[in-house]
Amino acid sequence: MSEQKIKVTIIDDERDTLTLLNNFLSRKKAYEIKTYSSPLSALSYISKDTDIILLDVMMPQINGIELLPKLKKKYPNAKVIIMTASSTLRIVLDAQRHGAIDYIMKPFESLEIITNKIDEIL
């Protein structure tokens, strides 16, 4: 892998989750992290060259499944991994139909699952 950092954007309305993921991923020198607690702000301010978007499903304003097609339209090259506490097949299939390439269950079994998925995808 080149010296260029992997740009990871995290969108989750839970500040504790944002802090946890930011602190964990920031320890990996290969990642450049941006976090957004507002899904609508994220839609406006995500960098065009973001590589990975970690997207929560259950959020106020607009949920992750509704936000996903808007993100993919605006940032077609970004790989989206949804994060959900709901294990229903419908949510996973909706997310995949709208462009998500994978999902992670919350609460996280381990944070290494996240870095493993990012590495697999890229």
Side-chain angles (χ1 to χ4, degrees), residues 20-63:
L20 175 73
L21 292 175
N22 187 38
N23 290 344
F24 175 74
L25 293 174
S26 292
R27 286 189 227 142
K28 310 268 185 199
K29 301 299 181 208
Y31 301 133
E32 180 181 311
I33 314 298
K34 296 252 193 249
T35 62
Y36 297 92
S37 60
S38 163
L40 296 178
S41 291
L43 187 59
S44 298
Y45 295 110
I46 291 175
S47 170
K48 286 271 188 225
D49 59 351
T50 195
D51 298 305
I52 295 279
I53 299 172
L54 298 175
L55 176 62
D56 187 31
V57 171
M58 299 304 293
M59 295 183 287
Q61 299 173 313
I62 182 171
N63 73 45

Side-chain angles (χ1 to χ4, degrees), residues 12-120:
D12 196 313
D13 62 307
E14 296 176 19
R15 294 210 181 260
D16 289 346
T17 301
L18 288 177
T19 300
L20 175 73
L21 292 175
N22 187 38
N23 290 344
F24 175 74
L25 293 174
S26 292
R27 286 189 227 142
K28 310 268 185 199
K29 301 299 181 208
Y31 301 133
E32 180 181 311
I33 314 298
K34 296 252 193 249
T35 62
Y36 297 92
S37 60
S38 163
L40 296 178
S41 291
L43 187 59
S44 298
Y45 295 110
I46 291 175
S47 170
K48 286 271 188 225
D49 59 351
T50 195
D51 298 305
I52 295 279
I53 299 172
L54 298 175
L55 176 62
D56 187 31
V57 171
M58 299 304 293
M59 295 183 287
Q61 299 173 313
I62 182 171
N63 73 45
I65 302 300
E66 296 166 334
L67 183 64
L68 185 52
K70 297 175 184 347
L71 287 170
K72 289 302 289 180
K73 183 175 183 184
K74 195 167 181 181
Y75 311 102
N77 296 324
K79 309 288 188 248
V80 180
I81 300 171
I82 62 163
M83 302 181 295
T84 181
S86 172
S87 61
T88 66
L89 185 59
R90 183 186 59 75
I91 288 177
V92 173
L93 292 175
D94 280 351
Q96 288 177 333
R97 189 174 69 249
H98 287 95
I101 57 171
D102 211 338
Y103 71 97
I104 297 169
M105 292 301 301
K106 289 169 82 176
F108 306 117
E109 187 178 305
S110 83
L111 294 175
E112 282 75 24
I113 288 173
I114 297 166
T115 54
N116 290 344
K117 285 197 185 279
I118 291 171
D119 291 344
E120 277 176 31

Side-chain angles (χ1 to χ4, degrees), residues 1-7 28-32 51 119 122:
M1 190 176 281
S2 69
E3 303 266 335
Q4 191 169 4
K5 291 189 175 200
I6 298 166
K7 292 175 177 56
K28 310 268 185 199
K29 301 299 181 208
Y31 301 133
E32 180 181 311
D51 298 305
D119 291 344
L122 298 178

